[in-house]
Amino acid sequence: MTHARVVAGLATGVLGAGLLAGLPTAHAAGAAATPAATPAPLTYSVSVDTSATGPSIDPSMYGVFYEDINRAADGGLYAELVQNRSFEYSPADNRSYTGLTSWSTSATAGGTGSVTTVDDAARLGERNRTYLRLTLANPTGGTFGVSNAGYNTGVRLEAGTTYDFSVWARTDSPTGTPLSVTLRDAARTTAYASPATVAVAGDTWTKYSGTFVATASTTSGRIAVEAGGTGTLRLDMVSLFPRDTYKNRPNGLRKDLADKIAALHPGFVRFPGGCLVNTGSMYSYDAANSYPRARSYQWKDTIGPVEQRATNSNFWGYNQSYGLGYYEYFQFSEDIGAQPVPVLPALVTGCGQNRATVDDALLQRHIQDALDLIEFANGPTTSEWGAKRAAMGHPAPFGLKRVAIGNEENLPDAYFANFVKFEAAIRAKYPDVTVISNSGPDDTGSTFDTLWSLNKAHGTAMLDEHYYNSPDWFLQNNKRYDGYDRQGPKVFLGEYASLDNKLRNSLAEAAYMTGLERNADVVKMASYAPLLSNVDYVQWKPDMIWFDNAASWGSTSYEMQKLFMNNVGNQVVPSTATGSVAQAKPITGAIGLSTWATAASFDDVTVTGADGGQLFADDFSGDASKWTPLAGRGAWSVQNGAYVQSDTGAQDTLVRAGDVSWHDYDLHLKATKTAGAEGFLIGFGVKDTGNYYWWNLGGWNNTQGAVEKAVGGAKQTLLAKPNTIETGRTYDVMVKIRGGQVELYLDGVLWGSFRDDAVTEPFAQVVTRDVAHHQLIVKVVNAQDAPALTTVDLHGARVMGKAEMTVISGDPEAQNTRTAQPIAPVTTTVKGIDSTFTRTFEPNSVTFLRVQMK
């Protein structure tokens, strides 16, 4: 997963022109509303060479990428209902956390005492270091304890459903301590099940269990654990699980979420990250390393009894319990018929951290961990790690075939040096396991180019590419993989998405996926990302499946991905399309200045046209009246003849000047970083807060420069290279725009150039063959407001006159939400299919036709 900064500017969504165009127009009283006219159909033709066979499609062509982001694990797919069950929350995870986060004191009449979280020698275990200590003072009856608020609005309970409770406890009371466990509301006025009682005996840790059957339903319940008597009671691992987990697995998964993932029929599951893999400490969670709290995801932390698993500070700003660990990932992959594709740390951090760990002994330990993981997945029960798998309940091997090393490392040479060591060790012991490298955090740039060059020369089997871009980018890059070397490394598109959750984004993704399938000899796997998001804990969007504590729903991209995953086919059938072609447009827009967690000053801004005439000038000898704040952030003022942004905490402080219709111009200015973490940003082609280009100098904690393009609030990177900006040094900056060509000069030297006038192609198609069912699957995407009148020529193929047709269509601005899911597939049977037939494909639609061969 790319660093969160990439999407910090996402628009929250407004009623756009596309939506307005589909609504009736208001008229005077009594007049009939007239819908907006549909544009005239555009004409296309698709020619299919049914006598030929193109590339075979890997059975694992489409899969899912699971990362614990947006509370995807605890509070999400992991079915545990108690938040902070082991009292391990800490300010190291989130500044707002304490060991009692999500807990509050609870007592009945006459019950008193005190409560605190403790990390001392009485703990449950060395890797589960904090527990709850209750000091009880209830000599005359009454109970005292704590209650847990769960996730979202509370603990979700459903009438008639069975829930399993457990707690680890010990007491110093010689007569024991009675423990009462209740499910109730926050006000203590409603009970949702009969109380359970536990008799805690002895001052050694013991696990106590019970069962509830909910008598009523709620989404705001509480689980309360209260004790009577006196003395000291210690509690840890307070747990409440629905009995009905996915496939009834113990320590299992939330059923509605798992069902939605299973319905995709994914070919693989990539896990556990993402930025979780390659950020933080690479050392072990033990005394020798002072129990580092923020660590890379290390698989051995996540197996064995849950009470013995380490805790961790999740990169995305919360605690990660590891209740959902590697064993559960492997089990889930098997349960849904998908290949597991684990991602292991390469000891080079990414996601804005960009550090290489120089410790050969540590590197060798991680390489051994990789070998041990393969043994855990595939080894016989007589092996050390195969025996551990069997002890957890799975004697049979999981059949691991692919392992990825690293995730989006932005230090290509350091990463690759480590990758080849992992690869050599794995190949030597497990030659049938494919070792996957990666190409960095974006679809282009110096890191991407370097890693592709190194891996290609080395003969790496497969490379993991990641990118998040605008809908236009996906519509402009359908042919991205047409030119890839067929003899080079294969592509694993491990993370991609169009940056919003509207139908227009899903249509752009669908158009792009036709290009993935057409190039199935190069692209072997692809997964939209991320998979899950809890609506109340969002660090990243868009996401495929959304949920709260009571319900879940698929985004428009979920529906699109499901359609593709369930209709892949086995072979590509060669086909070509002709028809209307859009024209390239020049870069137009005003100029802008911005900063990110940095203070900077700007001076002597001039804009000249291609003919040399001056369009704009400001030396800030007066005020800042020529500039308009767009972002509404930062502290901008004119100081000593310069325009200064002085707030080092503000992110994205964009201001604009000039005319949004400008094109073919030169922007020249002076810029000085005065304090802060990064550099400065120079805007051009600026229209508004969601549509602009900027040259980001000293970005990503002053390690990289890049040109980013924002469309509708979603940013994509057009050019990137290492770059550092010095504090106090004045830089001479120039941006030269001619049509779609841009040249960038820093201190008079060409820093980089790019071209951005690719043609948007809203009509896309691919045809595949389902060998088992003797069918052609004709897939057509029409991502525009006009219908597509299309002739499909199957070149004399003998086919049945009817076909199954599935369509996803609607308003391009439509989204699926908890309360309404307007975008869903509709399947019908259509007639008129022949060796040549004509169909009109709806505006803003994707259509799959399953044509039965005779």
Coordinates of all heavy atoms in Angstrom, one line a residue, residues 19 223 364 673 708 785:
L19 N -24.1 13.7 -12.9 CA -25.3 13.3 -12.2 C -26.5 14.3 -12.6 O -27.6 13.9 -12.9 CB -25.1 13.3 -10.7 CG -26.3 13.0 -9.9 CD1 -26.9 11.6 -10.3 CD2 -26.0 13.0 -8.4
I223 N -20.2 -5.6 26.7 CA -19.9 -6.8 27.5 C -19.2 -6.3 28.8 O -18.2 -5.6 28.8 CB -19.0 -7.8 26.8 CG1 -18.7 -9.0 27.7 CG2 -17.8 -7.2 26.2 CD1 -18.1 -10.2 27.0
Q364 N 20.0 -12.4 7.6 CA 20.0 -13.9 7.5 C 18.9 -14.5 8.4 O 18.3 -15.5 8.0 CB 21.4 -14.4 8.0 CG 22.5 -14.0 7.1 CD 22.3 -14.4 5.7 OE1 21.8 -15.5 5.4 NE2 22.6 -13.5 4.7
K673 N 12.9 27.1 0.9 CA 12.4 26.4 2.1 C 13.0 27.1 3.3 O 14.2 27.2 3.4 CB 12.8 24.9 2.0 CG 12.5 24.2 3.3 CD 13.0 22.7 3.2 CE 12.9 22.0 4.5 NZ 13.4 20.6 4.5
E708 N 2.9 15.4 -9.9 CA 1.6 14.8 -9.6 C 0.5 15.5 -10.3 O 0.5 16.7 -10.4 CB 1.3 14.7 -8.1 CG 2.4 13.9 -7.3 CD 2.1 14.0 -5.8 OE1 2.5 15.0 -5.2 OE2 1.6 13.0 -5.3
D785 N -21.0 8.9 -22.1 CA -22.4 9.2 -22.0 C -23.2 8.8 -23.2 O -24.4 8.8 -23.2 CB -22.6 10.7 -21.7 CG -22.1 11.1 -20.4 OD1 -22.0 10.2 -19.5 OD2 -21.7 12.3 -20.2

